[in-house]
Each structure stands twice: as structure tokens, then as C-alpha cells.
Amino acid sequence: TIRLETEKDYREVENLTREAFWNVYKPGADEHYFVHMMRSHPDFIPELAFVLEKDGEIKEVFSYELNEHFDAGWTMHIPNLHQ
């Protein structure tokens, strides 16, 4: 089941993120802290924060935040997927 992330999912999502990145790019992991901090950032889009749940357990996380792209004097706000 794919559904919107709720506040009660936060700890499980952060734990899943930490385990997914633990010792991958360096000893330990920081990505779970990024997920935690991202939720309070003004560019975070909570309406696009989803979890994939199977048998009552969160298996995957999808969330978006806005990024600015500058090109030839134009600014575009582009949703950026975090998976």
C-alpha cells in the first residue's frame, strides 16, 4: 500500500533511512538526520511524502522538496525526489 506519511511514521522512516545508508558512503550515516530536518524546511512538500507499506511495515519512502534551478536569468522551482 502506498500512502501519505504521517507523523506516527517519522521514527520508522528515519530508522529505515539510517539502516539503508549505514556505512555505505562513509562510516555511519547522516541521511536519517537529513530526513528529520527536511520535514521542517519550507521547501518540503508534505503532500508528496509517501511511504510504501507491506504487512504493516514501511518498506520504502518517497518525498519531495522544491529546488531552484537557475538558467539564463530564469528561476524554475523543480520538485526533487528523495527515495
Side-chain angles (χ1 to χ4, degrees):
T1 303
I2 297 175
R3 61 174 176 77
L4 282 173
E5 179 187 51
T6 65
E7 192 171 336
K8 71 180 182 113
D9 299 322
Y10 289 0
R11 180 179 291 279
E12 188 175 354
V13 166
E14 291 168 21
N15 287 339
L16 179 67
T17 304
R18 184 188 64 242
E19 293 301 314
F21 288 97
W22 193 259
N23 290 338
V24 172
Y25 300 109
K26 64 178 187 168
D30 296 325
E31 289 79 4
H32 62 292
Y33 182 67
F34 172 77
V35 169
H36 175 78
M37 296 303 294
M38 181 178 66
R39 290 187 188 106
S40 63
H41 194 278
D43 290 339
F44 180 65
I45 307 170
E47 298 84 5
L48 295 177
F50 297 97
V51 296
L52 186 149
E53 188 177 53
K54 182 177 180 183
D55 300 327
E57 187 177 327
I58 295 175
K59 301 289 187 179
E60 185 74 48
V61 179
F62 305 90
S63 59
Y64 292 82
E65 66 181 23
L66 286 177
N67 283 342
E68 290 184 353
H69 177 72
F70 301 97
D71 188 19
W74 292 85
T75 302
M76 296 174 30
H77 296 278
I78 302 171
N80 186 34
L81 171 64
H82 294 277
Q83 181 178 16

